[in-house]
Amino acid sequence: MRITKLHGLAILVTAGIAGAIWYHHPFSPSRDQERANSPGGDSGLKSDLHEASLTLPWRQDVLVLTPWLAPIVWEGTFSRDILNAQYLQKNLVTGVVTFAVEKYVQFIEGFMTSANKYFLAGHQVNFYLFTDSPEKVSHVQMSPENRVFVIPVQSGSGWQDACRSRMHILSSYIQRRLQHEVDYLFSMDIDVQLLAHVGVEIIDALVATISSWQLSPQHDDRAQGTQPGPPAASPEGHGDFHYTASFYGGSVSEVYKLSTACFGGVMEDREIGIGARGHHESLLNKYLLQHKPTRLLSPEYYWDTELSSSLIHVKRMCPVHKDSSWH
């Protein structure tokens, strides 16, 4: 059969898209090499898992692929049974880092109870709890595959100071310890509760969660039968999203690079007197603008209960409600 120039162009475009998706697959050979050459890359990541069939076209009402061809995970875009079967073969360990200092200690029990039930249920998870009050950590009965490590830290001059120190603590412990104990690592706020399963569909090299506040009414167009576009781009353009600092992660080597870079930004900004509320999240977004996430989690994975949207089929994680006396 004679191949025309148009057919040839179509083949090249298709091959290019397929190659880009394969590159961004969490277990692609190119990512293996990237991790091997990065700080913390000798942590023994088992990254030869093959295709996971994540972004299946089961949702027509939401954006499931970024402009740079990273998947966006929504309920109805993956098969957890397939992913669990492949993940279990690899004997992987995922770590969760969370901080409970000063009055945030009160959220430990609720967080640990819900995370034990819903976070990567049936898989090995190490929880690393950094707290200035280890004596106040009550015993929570964990599943056999889960382990909890309570790590004492000094309290600073307030929660804001703890936020500024968070990236430094994270990068230091990855280098000293965590790179030898886990394959993937996620940072989560302590003042949240998990309400539904958060499974291995979150696993990838560099993972960010889209802020629920970006799912504005103009993006919820299901009634009109249209597919919403991506959330508003950042001032720099490039079709980027705004990400919450309450839930992010990835491979140990990628999280090490992220936390090291963000701490560097903290120190630079401190020299010129910048350190406003939300600074931690601003630095995270700046880094992710320059280093594109390989997987995005939809706002299902951290949903602000003040909002509502028909696009949200499952609320997997939500912040704990605080009364007016909190501040």
Side-chain angles (χ1 to χ4, degrees), residues 168-199:
H168 181 225
I169 293 172
L170 183 55
S171 62
S172 296
Y173 267 82
I174 289 173
Q175 191 174 44
R176 290 161 48 186
R177 174 178 175 178
L178 304 186
Q179 65 167 318
H180 306 297
E181 298 181 359
V182 300
D183 302 296
Y184 290 89
L185 186 64
F186 288 84
S187 174
M188 300 171 65
D189 281 351
I190 193 70
D191 57 336
V192 303
Q193 282 199 309
L194 281 72
L195 307 176
H197 288 287
V198 175

Side-chain angles (χ1 to χ4, degrees), residues 158-228:
W159 177 241
Q160 286 301 107
D161 187 70
C163 286
R164 287 192 290 266
S165 303
R166 191 167 179 166
M167 289 298 187
H168 181 225
I169 293 172
L170 183 55
S171 62
S172 296
Y173 267 82
I174 289 173
Q175 191 174 44
R176 290 161 48 186
R177 174 178 175 178
L178 304 186
Q179 65 167 318
H180 306 297
E181 298 181 359
V182 300
D183 302 296
Y184 290 89
L185 186 64
F186 288 84
S187 174
M188 300 171 65
D189 281 351
I190 193 70
D191 57 336
V192 303
Q193 282 199 309
L194 281 72
L195 307 176
H197 288 287
V198 175
V200 299
E201 73 276 1
I202 69 171
I203 298 297
D204 212 320
L206 184 58
V207 182
T209 304
I210 300 172
S211 170
S212 55
W213 286 92
Q214 272 204 278
L215 204 61
S216 55
Q218 63 262 34
H219 297 131
D220 193 349
D221 295 323
R222 293 183 69 198
Q224 301 177 21
T226 60
Q227 177 170 313

Side-chain angles (χ1 to χ4, degrees), residues 4 41 64 69 72 301:
T4 66
V64 297
L69 302 179
I72 305 174
Y301 288 83

Side-chain angles (χ1 to χ4, degrees), residues 48-71:
D48 61 343
L49 188 61
H50 295 300
E51 294 187 32
S53 302
L54 178 68
T55 49
L56 301 177
W58 301 344
R59 292 284 296 269
Q60 302 296 324
D61 57 335
V62 293
L63 192 69
V64 297
L65 204 63
T66 69
W68 60 93
L69 302 179

